[in-house]
Amino acid sequence: MQDNGFASQPDGPLKGVKVLDWTIWQFGPVSTSMMGDMGADVIKIESLDGDPGRGLARASNLRMDLGEGRVAYFEALNRNKRSLAVNLKTDEGLKVIHELVKESDVFVQNFRSGVAERLGVGYETLSKINPQLVYGSANGYGPNGPDATQPSFDGCGQARSGLMMSATEDYQEYPTRVTQGVSDQIGGIMLCQGVLAALVSRGIRGVGQKVETSHLSANMWLQGLGISMSLLQGGENFASYSRDNPTNPLSNTYNGSDGKSIMMMHLQPDRYWIPLMKEMGLEEFIDDERFIDMSARAENSGAIVKILDEKFATKTAAEWDRVFRDSETDFIYALVQSIEELSDDIQVQSNNYITNFEHPVLGDVQMCNHPNIYSETPAGIWKEAPEVGQDTEQILIENLGYDWDDISRLQDAGAIL
């Protein structure tokens, strides 16, 4: 596994960008952790008792406690950040944030609509303090409409956006929820993308702006191709894939003799039909009238699936992988892997998609790396997730010029830890 070096300072494409991160749970922190990966100086603004994500005990089957007061959920979502613990309900605490806004490029929050405004950190207030500020805002269902103030978590986003039904087979009694907070994850990615676009615009036009995204919009965009194609045809239902009777049996999953699956993805099946039949030793079906072209195969897909199922069951998935790799035809397929298998994948290793670094408390650990590779300004993990308020004094002294008397005064006022 390649080591990213755990540099003490970032040198990514956002080096020099200052981000104020007033986010909790997963949706917002994903966006700002990506900015931190890219070198931004991210200050995580927390209440005096911290982000509620610090208290998560379990996620699905995984226990979150890593020992030494560290929680896997929080560590993964808040790397590359500094923590400022401040009580926004005090005048002194709010003043600290307003002073930081003056020198910041980005402010990000993911609270319900109206919360930021009530606490004095809404866009209208902060944009007057710093007109060049890019203000990222995320909520459940968008800033407008009757449900703008409704609370939302990952499963709500999946449900309302249609994503849950997209993952559900026709025969299932209950909808399928995709694991690992995928609704929050894509929401955070889209929020990060929006903030970056606004920064580019600011560089061109010289003004900041507010960027808003939601669970609903982000998860609709995740399915954007299917939704748009459906709308173009009057709202036609985009049906779930049928494994036993697929429209294209050469775009389907098959199991080897060891029960491991192979995902075939030939979207131009006529081009691959003859080579595939030859490589699999099924030449007798090449000229079968039932399978002569894509249309015929669609009408008789159930028969092809049974033939391919029987043949795939004669070798392990790894053996079929070797057959296809050794062929003169570039077959389009992938072995189906679990998350646990990713760290052993040679492509994951070669591209450092999982990276390891030396955590000052946990020791040598691994995490999913930033997804993009930059040739001149490398992104990566350069700092562990902070403890609550870990960097409060440093931020006040270095960023705002406060002295220790100021810090004592703020502590006495209950504005900071």
Side-chain angles (χ1 to χ4, degrees), residues 7 29 48 100 144 158 162 183 190 196 207 224 256 273 308 315 362 405:
L48 301 191
L100 284 171
N144 305 308
Q158 292 192 39
S183 177
M190 295 312 301
L196 297 185
V207 294
W273 174 251
L308 292 177
K315 299 180 187 293
L362 302 175
D405 288 338

Side-chain angles (χ1 to χ4, degrees), residues 305-334:
V305 169
K306 290 181 180 179
I307 292 168
L308 292 177
D309 276 343
E310 292 177 2
K311 192 64 179 182
F312 270 107
T314 63
K315 299 180 187 293
T316 67
E319 289 171 335
W320 283 117
D321 182 33
R322 180 49 52 198
V323 169
F324 297 143
R325 285 178 183 271
D326 290 343
S327 173
E328 294 181 358
T329 301
D330 288 331
F331 292 111
I332 306 171
Y333 71 98

Side-chain angles (χ1 to χ4, degrees), residues 35-56:
M35 296 176 206
D37 290 350
M38 292 183 278
D41 177 15
V42 180
I43 295 175
K44 183 175 179 66
I45 302 168
E46 300 190 71
S47 62
L48 301 191
D49 55 357
D51 182 331
R54 291 180 180 274
L56 191 70

